[in-house]
Amino acid sequence: MNQIIYLVPALGILGLVVMAVKSAWVSKQDAGDKNMQELAGYIADGAMAFLKAEWKVLSIFVVIAAALLAYSGTIHEVNGIQIHSSWIISIAFIIGAVFSATAGYIGMKVATKANVRTTQAARTSLKQALKVSFTGGTVMGLGVAGLAVLGLGGLFIVFLKVFNVVEVDSDQMKTAIEVLTGFSLGAESIALFARVGGGIYTKAADVGADLVGKVEAGIPEDDVRNPATIADNVGDNVGDVAGMGADLFGSYVATILATMVLGQEIVVEDNYGGMSPILLPMIICGLGIVFSIVGTWFVTIKDEKSNVQNALNMGNWSSMLLTVIASYFVVDMMLPETLNLRGYEFSKLNVFFAIIVGTVVGAIMSIVTEYYTAMGKGPVNSIIQQSSTGHATNIIGGLSVGMKSTVIPILTLAGGIMASYYFAGLYGVAIAAAGMMATTAMQLAIDAFGPIADNAGGIAEMSQLPPEVRERTDNLDAVGNTTAATGKGFAIASAALTSLALFAAFVGIAGIDAIDIYKAPVLAGLFVGGMIPFIFSALCIQAVGKAAMDMVQEVRRQFREIPGIMEYKAKPEYEKCVAISTKASIREMMMPGAIALITPVIVGFIFGPEVLGGLLAGVTVSGVLMGIFQSNAGGAWDNAKKSFEKGVMINGEMFYKKSEPHKASVTGDTVGDPFKDTSGPSMNILIKLMSIVSLVIAPYIAEPSSGKNAGADACCEQKMEAACCEKGGEMGKCDMSLCATMTKEECAAHCDSVGCSAEEKAHCMSMYGEDGKYIGGKCDMQKCKSMTAEECAAYCDKMGCSAEQKEACLKMIEAHKGEGGACMDGCKSGCKTKEECMKNCGEACASKH
Amino acid sequence: MNQIIYLVPALGILGLVVMAVKSAWVSKQDAGDKNMQELAGYIADGAMAFLKAEWKVLSIFVVIAAALLAYSGTIHEVNGIQIHSSWIISIAFIIGAVFSATAGYIGMKVATKANVRTTQAARTSLKQALKVSFTGGTVMGLGVAGLAVLGLGGLFIVFLKVFNVVEVDSDQMKTAIEVLTGFSLGAESIALFARVGGGIYTKAADVGADLVGKVEAGIPEDDVRNPATIADNVGDNVGDVAGMGADLFGSYVATILATMVLGQEIVVEDNYGGMSPILLPMIICGLGIVFSIVGTWFVTIKDEKSNVQNALNMGNWSSMLLTVIASYFVVDMMLPETLNLRGYEFSKLNVFFAIIVGTVVGAIMSIVTEYYTAMGKGPVNSIIQQSSTGHATNIIGGLSVGMKSTVIPILTLAGGIMASYYFAGLYGVAIAAAGMMATTAMQLAIDAFGPIADNAGGIAEMSQLPPEVRERTDNLDAVGNTTAATGKGFAIASAALTSLALFAAFVGIAGIDAIDIYKAPVLAGLFVGGMIPFIFSALCIQAVGKAAMDMVQEVRRQFREIPGIMEYKAKPEYEKCVAISTKASIREMMMPGAIALITPVIVGFIFGPEVLGGLLAGVTVSGVLMGIFQSNAGGAWDNAKKSFEKGVMINGEMFYKKSEPHKASVTGDTVGDPFKDTSGPSMNILIKLMSIVSLVIAPYIAEPSSGKNAGADACCEQKMEAACCEKGGEMGKCDMSLCATMTKEECAAHCDSVGCSAEEKAHCMSMYGEDGKYIGGKCDMQKCKSMTAEECAAYCDKMGCSAEQKEACLKMIEAHKGEGGACMDGCKSGCKTKEECMKNCGEACASKH
């Protein structure tokens, strides 16, 4: 073991320390006048109310799930296969859940402080406003990344000690890493509730507040008398801050973990006790935190005229570039010259190239998402154009923009998969994801900056501050909209690559060496998997409607039962409204959540790991497509509607708010809301959570037959090797498989040239028919085993076997005639597949003796 | 060869003769008064105009494609692999295209005759009206099925003669069947244009007629002065009659063909020269024609009060039941007791069970589709309910109904795949599809009845016939709406199963034995495949908008340039309008069509068959989901809107046409139109066409390495066999692979009990480590080949190899030290994979000697 391992939690702690400093700085800023503070106070209280209510429900789930995991940890053997688990996995699960919840808490806490302070800072200068809002975002980013790296790194060190791991390729190490998956499962489960529940919450509050407040009570939007208004503002923080934070916390942890699982399979000689492939992703992500901190130094502007977007881009690109450069030296220092994972050999330089691939994929996904959802670009303009002919054409326009927007991201993703695999096999796919996620702290800082600026603008408007203040917050808000879109692209890309890395890890732990969709049950799994994102989306969309109705009833009740609200004499029960909405959203997401959690368990235990692999592939492909489609359609509709605020030109005529085309665009925006804020982003969690659940159950469903086949293959191989060794390596040179592509003459020459023995050459020659054509593959003598001598002879003639082959076949049949033959006859009537028969047969034979 | 083969085209001819009789009967019916005849004449002329314009464009495509195919037929070897093709494939392609076009022509011709005659018959009785309209549908059904069976059966007989086929398992037979795929490719290509072009056409004409006629010129709907009105009415026939007909013609042919391809791989001894698995699907489908004719006898009602739907169901169920019963006897008579396809053994009874599975899947898909789109059922009612709160909620409701409607069909399909595979392997999946398609004649008769009744109602309304006539046509029309929905469910189910059958056939011809999504490039293919239905749908939806704009301009031009139209003095140029619409629709479907045709070619030739397999799986899964989603959402929106005609109750209040909820429902219907009539049904063709293109190019992309591996495997296997034979079958009994799941002691006992030789037992024992654990699979001595002696020793210690194994490894390394070792060193620096190295190595070594 090497001391470098302690660097990982140290870097996590560094991130958290910087976070604490920045958080304290934000708190110290001026929070403005009493009116502003009151508004901000309501939002902060509402956000805490949401968290409390959510945690109450989630704690029950966590306890039950932890108990189940603890029980599973006591099982040490299934179907004769040893399982490397421990009850400690439940502890890891609880810590993961708590860390994820804490990350959300930190983000919400600082966002609800930074919003009003940004408004106040905007009174002095744009530069200061950007500093406050971006620092708020940085706290969130560093909190998430710091907790993830500290949690993973710290637990890993603890587990190495707890399980007395001395060697990398040992059962103890397997147990340590298997237990660590519990941390990821805990994080991802909380992320599910945060993202899906939050998504339902924010849209329910939005619709509920509008329907009762604006329409029924006739009070303006964001009026403090409306009990649901605070819930609405809270919702922005819940969805865009806490939801996104938990989502990326989950991706970040899962990606590193999947790379570690694959790294454990790589056997290397290095200076780190063979652990370099396991440590690499943690080190890179730890360094990513450092360079994210460095990157924040570049996010600054000179004066009022400076471009805020450029400042953010500067920070983003510099932290990515620095991390990539640092990766080169880390890879070069830690890894040995060549690595080999599951038979795929690659150099350490290629590992670095895979990291670059991941970074590029993330960048392209962000850019494409921005193009399809940005104001003034082709796609949004086409929706504006189609709004002129009515609601229906607006909808059609948005749907087709969403569908078209899948093309480049999917091609990028496919190219990324192929390239990273080409460079470094499955480890390359995983490390590409890790490379992309390394600067998560910076990505999240930029993401969380958006809703903070949004809220700041809202507070400025509600407090009726002077126009130059609103101009500054509007400037930040506009940039925030763009970063929100690019953030979604990044989140989807990260979820997709993470799922693939988990997928690869799952295959390894489940002990299967292929997921063959040519097999009917696997194909069926692929179909069912592809369907899940559709039903999940439908349930999410419906849930928004139902939860909104609950909210409407609560708001009506408060107006009815609490006298004096309308006269500002009584304070509405914001907390109750928030609680109702929280409860409704959590209730409504039970069903989709259950689908994500339970489906892999059912499919895995009933149909086995390969069918589950097909299911996962289906979910991932369909989920990524539906996620991109829905998020981008929703984003494009939103900005098409927003474009009307400044007025748009359609066929030479200007249209503004309240015009007919604007009304059509509002329809599109309303349809797009649950798309982009509820069902679309939920796809990220769906695909990750199903993969991580599969990974956790993988050891319990690993098929014994798979292990047996591996044994049989090895057995065969070793017999060949042994024969080879006896002859002093003759056979190693005489690679007869090459003959398949040669003529008989060529093969004979080949045999002579590489020095095959006469016996070997004769074997090769027997694989050619009378006409000199290669027939080796055709004359499958194994088939003869289950035939009578007559059938076999006919078969040999039909397939064109050589005379030698036919003779050998018949001889074998003869040999099997005794108890072996009878055994085969028994198989014939009772067994479906050859494998099944062979297995039963062995036992039957054994019992006969 | 047996005479039974001649039964196939004979049954096809029987279908066509009955069709001719029924067609003549329809023509003889009274076509009503002059006014009615004039209206019907316009529609019939318009339909012919469409066909002429379409054929003109298509003939160019057919000539080019045929030339390419003819060229491909001259290639007889690729990468050293023999290709069984012939230039005659281009003839088959042309015949397929012509037959498909003819099937569409027959359907359109009779539908445009039967519509007005149904109206006239409705003047006397419901019974007579049903008879005329259903007979019209029957002509279409029998035409499609008859042409398909005649074409396939006839060409098969001809090709058997042309290529001098004497044996089933011969190159000649492979060529005959490979050439036959050209027939299917021709049929499916025309289907693409008929379905997609027709879908774009019908919606473009609809929108164009409404926008200029109703809105600009102020003339009522279906007014003869509107040049686009005829195009609109033609569109119904183009989409629902010709489009559906070509779609099912394609499915029908492709299904039978795929089953034949798989049947050719099955080696059997039967009374049909080993051809029974090839002939079976054709015979069953031929008999399906007979029983469809029988089924039509049950489609009759007693009086005005009788239930039309029940009569149609009676005909449908009886023909299905009779076909299934007949299948039992055919299967029992033709097939041998047991069959074996690619190592999967099954009995003939199980083939029959697979046929039942296919029939059940088709029935469930139809029923589920009806539930999700029928008036008065839950899903449509939920959309009506959500229309009360506006356009957006109506859209959200429809989208979520569409998404939810994928669940049961996908589970049914997945269950069907698994069950049919369980019964009879891949042949089971294909024959299930064939069983389902057997009664296509009846299915199409019921389908085509819908638009005929629809048109009849329209003519009755335009001719202002008495109310009892309209009541009768309304009755038929309502049933027609239901059958249209169930027909769509059947079409999707058939396309899905057909694609799977083609998929299985593709795998066989491409010479791959697995499609492993665990491999990165295959997974990338899966992603890209999944994306194609999204871009295809987006292009289709957009195309409707663009084509409608062209139509609007043409109608405006005619109003402007032809004086006297508005005063009934001049006849509008219907044909030009139809031609413009046809041209626009064909132009607009070039891009999606090109994607469907070219993508598999590009992917196949660049990335090889396995990646293409991944692509196909992605397209099929995503395409089936998008097809069901879009068709059902569109159907549900349509019927939600129609529900307002009779008034609907929402929250205790009645709403009718022109109410706000109705306006919202119209928005949904407009969005749903391209969904259900253009992009949704196009998914069927997309997935089938991409599969059939892949099947056609499969021989040219079959990987030599795949053949090589097969050869290597066979080589290894034969060495084992040979060793086995030498010892008189000892080794056959001593199945050492079983040891993988045993302890060392158990293994030793096993070896003794089955009588292994001492040498064999020693081998087995060497696979256990010091601690008695089985380590065979772990100690992979092949890896040592590329190591130095020191590395190998370290590796052996790490993996826990036994002392014997380690020694053997070191010995082998030593043996490789000479030129072999140097060769390996060369490999290390230059080659990516072990296989590549081994291959190069062989040559490098060879050159040294």
Side-chain angles (χ1 to χ4, degrees), chain A residues 195-211:
Chain A
R195 189 60 129 164
V196 182
I200 295 170
Y201 180 102
T202 180
K203 290 300 125 185
D206 193 0
V207 175
D210 283 2
L211 277 184

Side-chain angles (χ1 to χ4, degrees), chain B residues 474-488:
Chain B
D474 279 358
N475 187 339
L476 293 181
D477 191 16
V479 175
N481 280 335
T482 307
T483 61
T486 56
K488 265 173 196 150

Side-chain angles (χ1 to χ4, degrees), chain B residues 324-346:
Chain B
V324 167
I325 293 171
S327 302
Y328 174 79
F329 293 104
V330 172
V331 165
D332 189 54
M333 180 188 80
M334 291 183 70
L335 296 184
E337 277 309 318
T338 56
L339 301 91
N340 188 310
L341 175 62
R342 300 182 194 167
Y344 196 94
E345 204 166 286
F346 49 93

Side-chain angles (χ1 to χ4, degrees), chain A residues 342 404 515 518 721 812, chain B residues 342 516 518 542 721 812:
Chain A
R342 301 182 194 168
K404 276 199 288 184
I515 297 172
Y518 165 65
E721 286 297 335
M812 185 181 67
Chain B
R342 300 182 194 167
D516 186 4
Y518 166 65
Q542 277 192 329
E721 287 297 336
M812 186 182 69

Side-chain angles (χ1 to χ4, degrees), chain A residues 342 396 404 426 515-518 541-542 712 717-721 725 728 736-737 780 782 808 812, chain B residues 342 396 404 426 515-518 541-542 712 717 719 721 725 736-737 753 767 780 782 808 812 815:
Chain A
R342 301 182 194 168
I396 290 174
K404 276 199 288 184
L426 290 168
I515 297 172
D516 185 3
I517 38 175
Y518 165 65
I541 291 169
Q542 276 192 329
E717 209 169 84
Q718 279 167 359
K719 264 183 260 175
M720 303 287 286
E721 286 297 335
C725 290
M736 294 197 280
S737 68
D780 182 357
Q782 286 286 357
M812 185 181 67
Chain B
R342 300 182 194 167
I396 289 174
K404 277 200 288 184
L426 290 167
I515 297 172
D516 186 4
I517 38 174
Y518 166 65
I541 291 170
Q542 277 192 329
E717 211 169 84
K719 263 184 259 172
E721 287 297 336
C725 289
M736 293 197 279
S737 68
S753 74
M767 271 167 253
D780 182 357
Q782 286 285 0
M812 186 182 69

Side-chain angles (χ1 to χ4, degrees), chain A residues 115-336:
Chain A
N115 52 8
V116 65
R117 288 166 175 79
T118 301
T119 315
Q120 181 62 15
R123 289 179 132 170
T124 57
S125 71
L126 180 64
K127 180 180 168 141
Q128 192 61 17
L130 171 63
K131 192 171 179 190
V132 175
S133 53
F134 182 71
T135 306
T138 310
V139 170
M140 169 74 166
L142 289 174
V144 163
L147 281 173
V149 169
L150 172 63
L152 268 179
L155 283 179
F156 186 55
I157 293 173
V158 171
F159 292 155
L160 289 182
K161 300 252 145 93
V162 169
F163 298 110
N164 291 316
V165 179
V166 274
E167 265 188 73
V168 173
D169 193 41
S170 64
D171 288 351
Q172 289 77 26
M173 179 60 106
K174 282 188 182 137
T175 307
I177 288 186
E178 172 70 19
V179 165
L180 206 53
T181 58
F183 181 73
S184 183
L185 181 64
E188 208 66 77
S189 301
I190 297 301
L192 175 77
F193 289 86
R195 189 60 129 164
V196 182
I200 295 170
Y201 180 102
T202 180
K203 290 300 125 185
D206 193 0
V207 175
D210 283 2
L211 277 184
V212 189
K214 278 203 288 188
V215 182
E216 294 182 11
I219 54 179
E221 202 171 331
D222 284 325
D223 191 297
V224 286
R225 291 171 293 178
N226 188 336
T229 288
I230 294 301
D232 187 9
N233 277 290
V234 171
D236 291 345
N237 290 303
V238 167
D240 290 345
V241 179
M244 174 70 95
D247 187 352
L248 287 189
F249 183 83
S251 289
Y252 195 67
V253 169
T255 304
I256 301 175
L257 186 82
T259 319
M260 290 168 74
V261 172
L262 292 168
Q264 190 271 325
E265 286 189 42
I266 302 177
V267 178
V268 291
E269 291 280 347
D270 58 22
N271 303 323
Y272 310 94
M275 292 227 297
S276 60
I278 304 176
L279 294 177
L280 185 67
M282 287 197 283
I283 302 280
I284 288 176
C285 285
L287 290 176
I289 294 179
V290 175
F291 293 114
S292 293
I293 295 171
V294 173
T296 60
W297 302 340
F298 296 95
V299 182
T300 181
I301 53 170
K302 276 190 185 162
D303 52 35
E304 300 295 308
K305 299 247 179 307
S306 303
N307 190 320
V308 176
Q309 181 74 57
N310 284 354
L312 292 174
N313 288 348
M314 197 61 202
N316 190 14
W317 297 126
S318 59
S319 61
M320 274 164 70
L321 194 68
L322 288 170
T323 306
V324 167
I325 293 171
S327 301
Y328 173 78
F329 293 104
V330 173
V331 166
D332 189 53
M333 180 187 79
M334 291 182 71
L335 296 184

Side-chain angles (χ1 to χ4, degrees), chain A residues 28-40:
Chain A
K28 265 192 300 189
Q29 301 305 304
D30 185 2
D33 60 32
K34 198 172 160 288
N35 187 24
M36 284 163 65
Q37 287 189 27
E38 194 183 74
L39 287 165

